[in-house]
Amino acid sequence: MTSRTCLTVILAAGEGTRMKSSLPKVLHEIAGLPIVGHVAKAVQGAGGSDIALVVGRGADKVETSVRALVSNITVHEQVERLGTGHAVLAAQSAIEAGYDDIIVVFGDTPLIETSALEMAREKLAGGSDIVVMGFRPDNPHGYGRLIEQDGRLIAIREEKDASEAEKKIGFCNGGLMALRGDSALALLHMIKNENAKGEYYLTDVVEIANSQGKSVVAIEISPDNVIGINTRLELAEAEAIWQNRKRREMMLAGVSMQAPETVFFSHDTVIEADVTLEPNIVFGPGVSIASGTVIHAFSHIEGASIGANASIGPFARLRPGANLAAKAKVGNFVEVKNAKIGQGAKLNHLSYIGDATVGADANIGAGTITCNYDGYNKYHTEIGTNTFVGSNSSLVAPVSIGDNAYVASGSVITENVPADALAFGRARQEIKEGRAVQLRARYAALKLSKKAE
C-alpha cells in the first residue's frame, strides 16, 4: 500500500446556504477544527499525501484553512455547479499528474475515518478499478441503492428510479469513491448530463465502467463516515458523535473519566494513561497532559502543557501558554496564562498568574494576582524557588521575587525582592478607639433622612 501513489480530491465548493452563515460551510468547526480539516486529516492518515481541493464560495479562506494542515495541495475552483462529476473534473490538472489511486471525498463529511479510506485503497491495490463506499442506514428511504451481482457492483439506483424490489435493498450509496488512476480521467470524461437537471453525476461511472468490463465493487463502511453537514443542527449532531468517539478512544488508552458525557475534547488533545478527568471539563486546542495528573471538575484548559502528577481545579482555567511542571497544583478559581509553573508549586485558590514564572515549590496565597498589563503593554513577573507569597497580594510587573523570599499578606509589590528577604507592601494600620459608634450613628441618620425624602 505504501508504494502506491494517491491523490485525494476533496470537493468543497458547496454553497452551504442551509447553514445560514457568512462563513463557508466547510469552515464551521467540530472539536475546534474546521470540517474540511477533519477530512484532510483522515486523508493524510490513509496515505493520501497529495490533495486536490475543489473550492467555490470563500475559496481563499478554505484554501488557507487546509494549507494550515497540509502543504502538498493544489487548489481548483469550480465556477459552475454542474454536479459531482463536473466538480471532480475541476481538478483535472492534478489528476493528469498520474497517480495509482484517486479518492473522491466531500469536504463536509468530517466523520470519515482513515480506516474506511484505507479499505478502499486496498481494493484498488487488489485489482478493482472502482470502489464505491456504501453504508446501511436504519432507514434507507431517499438514498441511492447499491445493486450488486456476484460480488460486483453493477449499478447505483436512485430511489425515484428503483423498483419495489430494489427499494428493499438496505445497502446505500455513501457518495465516496476510489478509482484507479490510469483510467479515472477517461471514465470521468464519458459522464453525460442527459438528465432532468442537466448535471454530470459521478455515480454514472459505475455503469460506464461495467460496460467496459472493468471491476467495480462496493465496500461497507459505518454510516457515521458519510454524514454530511448542511445545517447547524447536523453540525451539533456530528460534534456529539466525534466527542463520543474521542471519549471511547481516551478511555481505552487508559484515561479515567467519571462522567464521560460531560468531558469535551479538542481535535488535538493529548492525554497520557493514568490521567483522571472529573466531570464537566472542557479542552480547547493545544493541550497535553502527562500521566498521573488529576483534572478536577468544572475546569477549562486551552493551549496548556501539564506535567505528571499535577492537580488542576476544580473550577480552574488554564489559558494559552500555561506550562505546568510535575506535581504542580492549580486550585479552585485560579487562572493561569502564559506562565511557567515549577515542579511542586502551589496556586491553591482565587488567584491570577499571567506572564510569569513561578519557581519550584513556591506557594502562592489566595487572592494573589500578577498585575501584568498597564493598558498598553504586558510585563513579566519572576517568582523564585520556594518563595511564599501571602494572600491578597498584588505583584506589579515587571518585578522579581527571589528564591526563598516571603511576601506579607495584603502587599502591593512594586520593587524587586531579594532572595531570603521579607517584603511588606501595605499601608500602616491605625486604630481609632470608639470611632465605630460615631460611624454607626452617622450612617443611621443618613438612612433615615433618605427615607423621609
Side-chain angles (χ1 to χ4, degrees):
M1 178 64 69
T2 55
S3 64
R4 294 178 65 87
T5 59
C6 180
L7 173 72
T8 302
V9 180
I10 300 180
L11 305 182
E15 292 291 339
T17 54
R18 283 185 283 170
M19 293 296 286
K20 298 183 174 12
S21 174
S22 60
L23 188 70
K25 176 175 70 170
V26 297
L27 294 186
H28 285 264
E29 294 185 347
I30 289 176
L33 185 69
I35 292 170
V36 69
H38 285 276
V39 177
K41 284 182 68 175
V43 164
Q44 280 193 302
S49 56
D50 290 359
I51 292 175
L53 182 67
V54 179
V55 296
R57 178 188 172 210
D60 291 343
K61 292 181 179 179
V62 175
E63 177 183 353
T64 299
S65 176
V66 177
R67 284 197 187 279
L69 295 170
V70 295
S71 57
N72 201 14
I73 71 170
T74 56
V75 179
H76 312 268
E77 186 173 5
Q78 185 187 15
V79 179
E80 296 181 275
R81 307 293 187 268
L82 299 177
T84 50
H86 178 262
V88 176
L89 277 175
Q92 176 170 330
S93 60
I95 299 171
E96 286 174 341
Y99 293 87
D100 295 316
D101 303 337
I102 305 293
I103 299 178
V104 180
V105 296
F106 298 109
D108 64 354
T109 54
L111 301 177
I112 181 67
E113 294 175 293
T114 293
S115 58
L117 301 175
E118 288 175 333
M119 191 189 315
R121 292 196 64 194
E122 287 170 2
K123 287 291 185 180
L124 291 179
S128 296
D129 294 290
I130 294 179
V131 181
V132 173
M133 296 176 232
F135 69 110
R136 296 185 185 276
D138 293 336
N139 180 4
H141 178 75
Y143 293 106
R145 306 306 204 278
L146 299 182
I147 313 298
E148 294 180 293
Q149 182 178 315
D150 300 325
R152 297 170 52 249
L153 178 66
I154 60 173
I156 300 176
R157 191 85 71 229
E158 296 302 321
E159 178 159 293
K160 60 182 174 58
D161 300 321
S163 66
E164 289 304 313
E166 290 171 339
K167 287 180 180 179
K168 295 179 180 179
I169 296 172
F171 196 21
C172 299
N173 178 32
L176 312 179
M177 188 179 295
L179 306 90
R180 285 184 60 89
D182 55 9
S183 59
L185 271 180
L187 292 172
L188 291 168
H189 279 296
M190 294 180 70
I191 298 175
K192 305 297 183 183
N193 66 340
E194 298 169 354
N195 52 68
K197 290 187 176 182
E199 294 185 350
Y200 299 87
Y201 298 132
L202 179 61
T203 51
D204 287 353
V205 299
V206 169
E207 293 194 37
I208 294 171
N210 273 304
S211 69
Q212 297 179 2
K214 295 185 180 297
S215 172
V216 184
V217 298
I219 59 172
E220 182 176 346
I221 61 177
S222 164
D224 291 351
N225 282 266
V226 299
I227 292 176
I229 308 301
N230 294 297
T231 66
R232 308 284 183 131
L233 175 61
E234 291 170 345
L235 183 70
E237 291 170 343
E239 175 85 40
I241 294 170
W242 189 96
Q243 291 293 341
N244 280 331
R245 282 184 183 177
K246 191 67 173 179
R247 291 163 187 148
R248 175 180 172 80
E249 174 189 320
M250 287 286 186
M251 288 186 286
L252 289 176
V255 177
S256 294
M257 299 185 209
Q258 296 175 350
E261 69 279 5
T262 69
V263 177
F264 294 87
F265 297 101
S266 176
H267 67 97
D268 59 353
T269 306
V270 177
I271 303 180
E272 293 182 358
D274 290 324
V275 168
T276 297
L277 305 178
E278 291 186 357
N280 298 296
I281 297 168
V282 176
F283 293 102
V287 175
S288 63
I289 305 175
S291 180
T293 288
V294 177
I295 310 295
H296 296 283
F298 295 98
S299 293
H300 189 285
I301 303 173
E302 179 179 359
S305 174
I306 303 171
N309 301 304
S311 176
I312 310 299
F315 294 97
R317 184 183 182 195
L318 303 185
R319 292 170 58 193
N323 188 328
L324 281 63
K327 299 182 180 179
K329 183 174 183 180
V330 173
N332 52 290
F333 302 102
V334 173
E335 180 177 343
V336 179
K337 186 270 296 185
N338 192 31
K340 294 182 179 180
I341 311 301
Q343 182 168 327
K346 297 180 178 63
L347 291 69
N348 278 322
H349 28 229
L350 303 164
S351 294
Y352 169 71
I353 303 297
D355 298 295
T357 299
V358 178
D361 298 314
N363 192 313
I364 308 300
T368 296
I369 62 171
T370 55
C371 306
N372 57 329
Y373 184 51
D374 64 4
Y376 295 91
N377 300 292
K378 295 189 177 181
Y379 301 93
H380 190 77
T381 298
E382 188 80 21
I383 301 172
T385 299
N386 202 39
T387 293
F388 181 92
V389 178
S391 299
N392 199 33
S393 294
S394 298
L395 311 180
V396 184
V399 69
S400 66
I401 302 169
D403 295 344
N404 303 299
Y406 272 70
V407 173
S409 296
S411 293
V412 177
I413 301 299
T414 59
E415 298 179 2
N416 294 341
V417 179
D420 294 308
L422 170 62
F424 288 84
R426 60 194 184 202
R428 184 180 181 87
Q429 180 174 316
E430 293 187 18
I431 298 176
K432 305 293 185 180
E433 296 285 352
R435 185 63 61 86
V437 176
Q438 298 173 18
L439 289 174
R440 281 194 294 271
R442 182 190 304 171
Y443 296 154
L446 179 61
K447 185 175 181 179
L448 287 173
S449 67
K450 288 184 177 179
K451 286 184 177 180
E453 293 177 356

